[in-house]
Amino acid sequence: YIYFFSSKENRETFMKNPIKYICQPKPKPAVPVKIAIVGPPKSGKTTVAKKFASVCGLLCLSMGDAIRFVLNNQPESELALTLKWHLHKGLTVPDELAIQALDVALMNHVCNTTGVVIDGYPVTKKQVNLLKSARIIPVKIFELDMDAKEVFRRALLDKESMNRPPYPEHDSSQILAIKNSCYKQHIDAIRTYYKKEHQNWCVIDACRSKWWIWNKVLQEVQAVVKEIQIYLERIREGKAASIADLCITPEELQYRLGEFGQYCPVSLADKGELVDCSVTSSLQFAAEFRGHYYKMASQEELDKFLSRPEVYVPPLAPQPLPCPDMLPKKLTAADVKALFPTNAEMQGYCPVTYLDGKQRYEALVPGNIEYAAKYQDKLYIFESEEKLLKFMRLPEKYWNLKLPRKLPPVKEPLLLTALPLPGYLEQATATSLIKALSDVGCLKPKFPFLSVKKSALLFIACHLKAHNPRSPEPARQTYQRRLARLKEHCQLIPYLAETMAGPYQEPQHRPLGFASRLQTFLSMK
């Protein structure tokens, strides 16, 4: 065999011990990756993209680079002539033409062998739709997240830098504010789309150091590449493979679902449970086997499926998925009302609570129409979300129960005003009265020239008025001021008793404010 080396030193090292390097495991197949980096201005998108180009050999491609590539390499093409027409007119290149230029630039041999980093694109929902129509789907999109304050801080630092280019740049504060505003206006919709459709969106804190950002991005890309390599290797060997990071759309998933739909085949085979995995759009626990997709309930079930997939799919699967008519279906409160006059089974009691409670009288708990399900054309209502999920997993266990002859009395609503006086006070004013009585016990008010009983009753009345949540705010504030004056007047007796305990003092030797308080006290008689 003839071997080729990247340098003379490597060749000399090989010649000293060739067996060592010949017997090593073969490298995994090279996977050209397609990455996109978006973020507000000055967030470091181009820095990260150029770092990928220099370290990993990927092609760094902005939309301007793609347009220049077409103009320089295919100047006589119809696309290039159309681009020139717009540019010579001083117009912005339309997104439709820009996507065509990007599609042409992606035919570069570097993109097809190593990969490409798309710098600063897409930034609008229209551009996302155009990328989708051109089938340009990055395996990972990194959002460098940064607030506006940091954008302007970095812009000021750049203006003070000595490494500025000789030509003027569009980096004034007004232009940056417009760019940042446009970016913030569209980024939420773009993020939502890619998270839902492809699960390939990754948010990076751009305020961290450039070394931390680079390491984080590199780790994410390496993990994705490793997953793709493992997927290709296992599929080539006829094994099951995880599809977590393959950017599979919901439409493609639905088209290639296996015999179990979105139900977990491992849970059905091992536990007999119907675990519906459609509640989440994530493909973290999904796998491909024999050209079909299967979703699992957790990492444990996924590991079991990847190790022995043939025992969980036909023809070796222990039990098939029931037909659609025999599968339980969740219902909303509106769905339950639409089924009127259909009555709920077990007279509306929760079957799961009843059976799990060993069918005792105490386990007869009424259900809530917020947690309802339909099974075999029958309506069931459950106590909580947890009980509903139990029924959805094991409907055969709970569906055919019989109620005992003795049932709890029907709980009918009772008007508050229909209660006897002690019950009304307990349900309506107990909390307010307890607070008022607690304050009376702590303060022990004694109003001048009134008995202790009358002072306490007056205090409680003002306290209830001042803290009545059903009274208007001005009325509450009036009684709060009155309550404060009442507390102040109740403090006159202990104050005067303490101040006048000694021998007679001349008016000029008495404490400041004594005369006014004494006059207030005497005026209350």
Side-chain angles (χ1 to χ4, degrees), residues 345-351 353-355 357-366 400-409:
E345 295 297 307
M346 294 186 63
Q347 298 185 23
Y349 290 102
C350 177
T353 306
Y354 182 55
L355 185 60
K358 299 179 181 179
Q359 298 184 339
R360 294 176 300 179
Y361 177 83
E362 297 81 5
L364 287 168
V365 179
N400 200 19
L401 300 177
K402 301 296 182 184
L403 284 174
R405 291 186 177 182
K406 183 181 178 182
L407 297 176

Side-chain angles (χ1 to χ4, degrees), residues 500-516:
M500 300 171 68
Y504 174 79
Q505 293 180 347
E506 295 294 332
Q508 62 271 22
H509 298 301
R510 294 171 185 171
L512 188 66
F514 173 81
S516 63

Side-chain angles (χ1 to χ4, degrees), residues 321-453:
L321 185 72
C323 62
D325 295 338
M326 297 295 292
L327 292 174
K329 179 186 176 184
K330 280 186 181 180
L331 299 177
T332 62
D335 296 333
V336 174
K337 293 177 182 178
L339 290 174
F340 181 81
T342 304
N343 294 322
E345 295 297 307
M346 294 186 63
Q347 298 185 23
Y349 290 102
C350 177
V352 179
T353 306
Y354 182 55
L355 185 60
D356 291 351
K358 299 179 181 179
Q359 298 184 339
R360 294 176 300 179
Y361 177 83
E362 297 81 5
L364 287 168
V365 179
N368 187 340
I369 63 170
E370 296 291 335
Y371 313 111
K374 189 176 182 182
Y375 181 65
Q376 294 192 15
D377 292 328
K378 295 181 179 180
L379 175 63
Y380 297 88
I381 300 177
F382 305 92
E383 179 188 3
S384 63
E385 179 77 19
E386 178 188 358
K387 310 292 184 182
L388 171 60
L389 293 178
K390 266 192 174 183
F391 182 87
M392 298 294 290
R393 287 171 179 256
L394 296 165
E396 286 292 326
K397 179 180 178 182
Y398 298 105
W399 80 283
N400 200 19
L401 300 177
K402 301 296 182 184
L403 284 174
R405 291 186 177 182
K406 183 181 178 182
L407 297 176
V410 179
K411 296 180 180 178
E412 295 181 353
L414 187 64
L415 289 176
L416 187 63
T417 53
L419 293 171
L421 184 58
Y424 175 81
L425 291 175
E426 180 186 1
Q427 296 296 324
T429 62
T431 304
S432 300
L433 278 172
I434 289 170
K435 290 181 179 179
L437 291 172
S438 298
D439 284 357
V440 167
C442 294
L443 184 62
K444 296 180 177 61
K446 173 64 176 73
F447 197 80
F449 306 104
L450 287 181
S451 66
V452 172
K453 179 179 178 180

